[in-house]
Amino acid sequence: MTDETPPRDGESGPPPGVSASAPDAASPGSVDSATGLEAAEQGATPASAGSGAEPEVAAPVATSVPAADPRTRRAGILARLRKRRLALGAIAFVVAFAVLGTGAVAAGHAMAESRAAAEQKADVAESAKPSARPRPDTIAAPARLRSCSISPLAGDTRLGTFEGTVISATGGDALYDRGGATPVRPGSAMKLLTAGAALSVLGPDYRIPTTVIDAGDDSIAIVGHGDATLSAQPAGSASVYAGAPKLADLLSTAASTWTSRHPGKTISTVLLDASYWGTGDSWDATWPTALQTTGVVSKVTSLQLDGDRADPAVAISPRSDDPVAAVGAKALAALRAAAPGLVADDATALAATAPAGGTEIAQVQSQPVSQLVGQMLSLDDATLAETLGRLVSKKQGDGGSAASLTGTYATALAGYGVATTGIVVHDGSGLSTDDAVSAVFLARFAAEIAQSHDDLALLRTQLGRSGQSGALAGRFGGTSSADGAVEAFSGGGPGVRTLIGTVQAADGTALAFAFLGVGDAVNETADPALDALAAALHDCGANLSSI
């Protein structure tokens, strides 16, 4: 309730209608801005309208601000709090948005990095995967299981240590092998290599000359070039070498020419020149001397007659200790027979080299190499094999020594397309126990012969045929299913027996083979075991097992 006490003299009271109220307990500085704004809008009181008197200046009036209603104040405070809350909420929203946005960006970056890392790992994993094995354009047919075995036959004790290889004669595929890659002594099968080398280097048409040189004064020189077939047989008598040139013909021509060049002059010296290759290695150290005395082989000299046989008409005939010296007496006799009185009574013959620059006054030639090779194989002639081997070395520029033969043969045979790895050649006949050839080489060489490649067609004509011809005519029992189906070279030597060639199997398959039985006790009794192996090849054909 408000007290309305009349003002004292000199005090101004509130205008009429305005109630004075006690001041708010709060100091003026505590009045909120809204209350202060209402007080400022109140100005001085205007004059009364229609008054003619000069307006009276009002004395300053002390205005008291009414005390705010607590509810109003509370509402203001609440309003302000709401405004502050809204502002703080807005700020918090902005901050939260910024934080969340930054987090989202960071998370997006992290996710991108994680995704990139994952993709990189996937690429690495993909690249680490083994590439798929390429598929061939054509799928090979399943290999046939071959069940026909010859191994039990290969275990025959008569064969000693057996080594053998069988291949397709047309395709060269290996079908069976028992130690075939190991070089062993081949025995007389070495003659197949000598024949191949001679045909390759000398050629099938080459003929070996023997010449007579006018050596000056009262001398002539008979110069040998490696023809061991030159024969001392008289006209009308054949030696073991059919068609061989005759010493008589050579010296008859020489006598005639000498007489024309030196009328009335006699011959007192006949030089025997065997220097075409050296004479220091004319006998292999591994050859027993019995081979010479029993007539298997002569010393390897470039000048000799009839292979130095005591009996020129017999293949196996004792040989002398000096083939060159043996020519001397027969040459003097032939000269005297051709031209009586031409040769001095005291004429001599001696081994010597013909003087350089002498004039050739006579010459004869051997049968062509093609025929000599045939005679070597059909007669199993060791002397022909030795002289042909030395001739190959000489012609090839290797000097003609025995020591040169391994290299000579490797070069000469390489032209047939068969690897010569491991071949060791001490002689051309295979009599040396130091010779070494593998069954693999021999089988592949036999396949070349069967295909008649190059000049090897000649060798095929020299092979025996099972039960029908050559060395195999009386073998295979005559009633074997393989009769006539096997073409092969049958060989031997000290401690070795061989069968090398081809077989036309019952199913039409052509097989090439090389079978060798090696051992000190191995001899001719091994031949039936070798024949049984070849006959089994005929029966097995393409069904031949490698086991």
Side-chain angles (χ1 to χ4, degrees):
M1 208 175 134
T2 306
D3 294 331
E4 295 184 5
T5 306
R8 298 187 182 99
D9 291 339
E11 288 180 353
S12 297
V18 176
S19 302
S21 57
D24 189 15
S27 65
S30 69
V31 178
D32 64 61
S33 60
T35 306
L37 181 58
E38 291 172 358
E41 287 176 351
Q42 296 178 10
T45 304
S48 300
S51 173
E54 191 172 340
E56 183 179 353
V57 179
V61 180
T63 308
S64 62
V65 179
D69 183 11
R71 288 177 293 183
T72 302
R73 290 177 61 202
R74 228 180 357 259
I77 292 171
L78 290 173
R80 287 195 301 274
L81 290 173
R82 279 196 297 271
K83 288 179 181 179
R84 290 175 182 172
R85 190 180 297 126
L86 289 173
L88 290 172
I91 293 170
F93 177 77
V94 171
V95 172
F97 182 80
V99 170
L100 290 173
T102 303
V105 171
H109 180 69
M111 289 178 66
E113 287 185 342
S114 177
R115 186 179 297 110
E119 289 176 354
Q120 184 177 6
K121 287 181 180 179
D123 291 342
V124 171
E126 186 66 26
S127 63
K129 289 181 181 179
S131 57
R133 186 172 60 183
R135 293 190 53 153
D137 293 334
T138 57
I139 305 297
R144 175 183 177 182
L145 181 62
R146 295 178 279 122
S147 59
C148 186
S149 176
I150 62 172
S151 290
L153 295 173
D156 193 314
T157 57
R158 292 173 293 179
L159 295 171
T161 299
F162 174 76
E163 297 199 9
T165 297
V166 183
I167 65 172
S168 165
T170 53
D173 297 333
L175 302 176
Y176 176 87
D177 186 88
R178 176 75 68 84
T182 303
V184 295
R185 61 183 185 267
S188 60
M190 179 62 78
K191 295 183 180 69
L192 288 175
L193 279 67
T194 298
L199 291 170
S200 174
V201 176
L202 301 175
D205 298 326
Y206 178 73
R207 294 171 181 262
I208 308 167
T210 304
T211 60
V212 176
I213 301 297
D214 185 341
D217 296 331
D218 55 356
S219 302
I220 61 171
I222 302 173
V223 182
H225 293 82
D227 181 16
T229 71
L230 181 66
S231 180
Q233 290 286 79
S237 297
S239 74
V240 70
Y241 303 121
K246 297 291 183 69
L247 177 67
D249 295 335
L250 175 67
L251 294 181
S252 176
T253 301
S256 177
T257 305
W258 172 270
T259 300
S260 298
R261 289 171 62 86
H262 308 286
K265 193 173 185 178
T266 61
I267 296 173
S268 61
T269 305
V270 176
L271 305 178
L272 309 173
D273 187 346
S275 64
Y276 189 61
W277 61 71
T279 59
D281 58 354
S282 62
W283 190 261
D284 188 272
T286 66
W287 294 351
T289 55
L291 294 177
Q292 177 184 339
T293 57
T294 58
V296 173
V297 65
S298 68
K299 286 187 174 180
V300 189
T301 60
S302 62
L303 177 64
Q304 57 182 286
L305 298 172
D306 298 304
D308 195 37
R309 289 174 174 83
D311 184 350
V314 180
I316 302 299
S317 177
R319 319 296 171 102
S320 75
D321 190 52
D322 190 348
V324 177
V327 174
K330 294 177 180 179
L332 291 172
L335 279 171
R336 290 187 173 105
L342 178 61
V343 179
D345 292 341
D346 60 351
T348 59
L350 62 132
T353 301
T359 301
E360 180 181 303
I361 59 176
Q363 181 182 124
V364 291
Q365 295 181 343
S366 71
Q367 293 295 300
V369 163
S370 57
Q371 185 165 330
L372 296 180
V373 164
Q375 291 174 341
M376 173 187 69
L377 294 175
S378 61
L379 297 171
D380 195 20
D381 194 290
T383 295
L384 271 181
E386 296 304 329
T387 55
L388 284 173
R390 300 297 186 92
L391 282 169
V392 171
S393 172
K394 187 74 176 179
K395 182 81 170 181
Q396 201 164 261
D398 297 333
S401 69
S404 71
L405 295 181
T406 293
T408 292
Y409 277 45
T411 302
L413 296 171
Y416 295 117
V418 181
T420 58
T421 305
I423 288 179
V424 178
V425 185
H426 278 256
D427 60 25
S429 63
L431 291 173
S432 174
T433 55
D434 290 337
D435 292 329
V437 183
S438 70
V440 170
F441 173 87
L442 291 169
R444 295 195 177 281
F445 193 54
E448 292 296 310
I449 294 172
Q451 297 298 315
S452 298
H453 289 167
D454 300 318
D455 294 315
L456 297 180
L458 172 67
L459 296 190
R460 188 173 183 182
T461 66
Q462 300 300 317
L463 301 178
R465 185 174 289 275
S466 54
Q468 296 183 6
S469 65
L472 303 183
R475 290 168 56 171
F476 288 83
T479 59
S480 169
S481 60
D483 200 41
V486 179
E487 286 184 347
F489 175 88
S490 174
V496 59
R497 298 299 295 180
T498 65
L499 190 63
I500 301 158
T502 58
V503 57
Q504 193 72 25
D507 64 1
T509 304
L511 303 174
F513 65 90
F515 296 146
L516 298 88
V518 182
D520 292 340
V522 174
N523 53 39
E524 292 85 351
T525 62
D527 289 349
L530 295 171
D531 296 348
L533 283 163
L537 292 183
H538 170 266
D539 296 338
C540 289
N543 193 34
L544 176 65
S545 170
S546 61
I547 300 174

